[in-house]
Amino acid sequence: MCTGKCSLCIGRTLYPLALISVICNIMLFFPDWNVKYAIKNQITEEVKLMGGLVGGGVLVLIPAVHIYMTGERGWCANRIGMFLSIILAVVGVAGALYSFSVAVLGLYHGPYCKDILDNWSTPFNIPNFNYLVHSDFWGFCTEPKNVVKFNVGLFSILLVVNSLQIILCAIQMINGLFGCLCGTCRDINNTRPNNVTFTTTVHVA
């Protein structure tokens, strides 16, 4: 596979991953599918950092657009475009790492919820206690309903999505380096079909 086609494949794959990351982050603002918790600021602190929206979303989507364009025949499908894709892929890795780190913290600290004592807190943020393997304690959060499953599910999806984004952007960094050295195989000067032949006719007076 030439470097241009590889960029095309990576760009196309990053699009839905960025979209999933944004959707997961937006959903986390509405536990129990209710807007009142966002209005009252009764949501998990890590959600407010908007890792999935900014990091895994915007900071990955911008590189994805350019990476895709380096795979198309056009002004980006050249060595300069490939060099820029390396820089933007680094931005994508940074954004995905940010979202990944926020998701890890969100899972580690647990959700912000009302406990059985009617206090709003982060009840599972206790040293040397892993609530993820003690699901019997999840009922300690009484509101929002099923908030522990809700947060664990969405933050886990973000971890998988961000991991794929990091891998793909890292591959593009390598692919972009080869593109700088060898070209994209799809530059604008290589658009003439191979099966076209040209003939000339000489008219003698």
Side-chain angles (χ1 to χ4, degrees):
M1 179 184 292
C2 74
T3 56
K5 290 182 179 180
C6 183
S7 294
L8 202 63
C9 181
I10 290 173
R12 285 174 176 169
T13 308
L14 286 174
Y15 285 152
L17 292 177
L19 180 61
I20 293 171
S21 182
V22 170
I23 291 174
C24 286
N25 200 151
I26 292 175
M27 290 173 63
L28 282 165
F29 277 98
F30 307 106
D32 197 22
W33 311 108
N34 200 319
V35 299
K36 70 177 183 180
Y37 302 109
I39 295 174
K40 295 180 180 180
N41 199 30
Q42 294 172 334
I43 55 177
T44 304
E45 287 298 318
E46 285 75 19
V47 177
K48 302 174 187 176
L49 298 177
M50 295 189 292
L53 182 61
V54 177
V58 176
L59 292 181
V60 170
L61 185 59
I62 293 175
V65 172
H66 180 82
I67 291 170
Y68 178 84
M69 291 175 66
T70 59
E72 289 283 355
R73 289 189 174 94
W75 67 273
C76 285
N78 51 46
R79 287 177 170 83
I80 296 177
M82 277 295 184
F83 175 75
L84 291 176
S85 77
I86 298 174
I87 298 175
L88 289 173
V90 173
V91 174
V93 169
L97 277 174
Y98 171 67
S99 181
F100 185 91
S101 301
V102 171
V104 169
L105 289 175
L107 287 174
Y108 179 76
H109 293 151
Y112 182 77
C113 63
K114 179 190 286 188
D115 58 33
I116 57 177
L117 301 177
D118 285 340
N119 296 319
W120 284 91
S121 64
T122 308
F124 301 122
N125 188 15
I126 304 172
N128 301 320
F129 176 73
N130 186 0
Y131 74 98
L132 294 173
V133 297
H134 294 89
S135 58
D136 294 341
F137 290 90
W138 290 8
F140 195 74
C141 278
T142 60
E143 189 181 354
K145 186 179 179 181
N146 296 322
V147 66
V148 181
K149 292 181 180 179
F150 188 78
N151 275 25
V152 169
L154 291 174
F155 276 130
S156 297
I157 292 173
L158 281 173
L159 287 179
V160 174
V161 169
N162 298 148
S163 297
L164 292 174
Q165 289 173 331
I166 292 170
I167 293 171
L168 288 171
C169 287
I171 292 174
Q172 179 57 32
M173 291 167 63
I174 300 172
N175 182 59
L177 178 60
F178 280 105
C180 287
L181 299 175
C182 307
T184 65
C185 313
R186 301 173 70 84
D187 57 37
I188 59 176
N189 295 320
N190 192 28
T191 59
R192 180 183 298 174
N194 293 329
N195 60 346
V196 176
T197 59
F198 295 91
T199 61
T200 58
T201 302
V202 179
H203 295 279
V204 180

